[in-house]
Amino acid sequence: MEFSTPQALHKIIGTTDKMVLVDGQQSCPLNAMSVAFNFHTIDISETNTTIDIKGVLPVVRNEKYLIK
C-alpha cells in the first residue's frame, strides 16, 4: 500500500515489533525512517513478521539552491 512520507513514518514507528526490510535488505526502524524522508511516496507491504519498505516517488533536489 502506498503512503505519503508522514503517513509512512507513522506506520514505521507503529510497527517496532516486526523485522524491517528496506528494498529487500534487513534494516533498523531508524534507517527506514531516514530512507522515507528521501521519497514523496513510499510503498509499505506488511506481513505477520516483516514490514517491507520501498520508495516510489523520489524527492527531486535542485542543486542550484544548495550551499556548497
Side-chain angles (χ1 to χ4, degrees):
M1 189 169 190
E2 291 186 1
F3 294 96
S4 65
T5 302
Q7 293 170 335
L9 292 173
H10 183 72
K11 184 78 170 172
I12 293 167
I13 291 169
T15 56
T16 56
D17 58 335
K18 297 183 179 185
M19 183 172 63
V20 178
L21 300 174
V22 177
D23 293 327
Q25 296 188 353
Q26 187 174 355
S27 182
C28 65
L30 185 61
N31 188 28
M33 288 187 282
S34 68
V35 168
F37 277 116
N38 293 323
F39 293 93
H40 288 297
T41 307
I42 298 99
D43 181 46
I44 297 179
S45 304
E46 191 172 1
T47 64
N48 290 339
T49 58
T50 63
I51 181 169
D52 190 19
I53 300 163
K54 295 178 184 170
V56 177
L57 182 64
V59 173
V60 178
R61 302 196 194 289
N62 191 341
E63 299 291 327
K64 176 180 168 183
Y65 297 109
L66 294 177
I67 297 173
K68 294 181 183 181

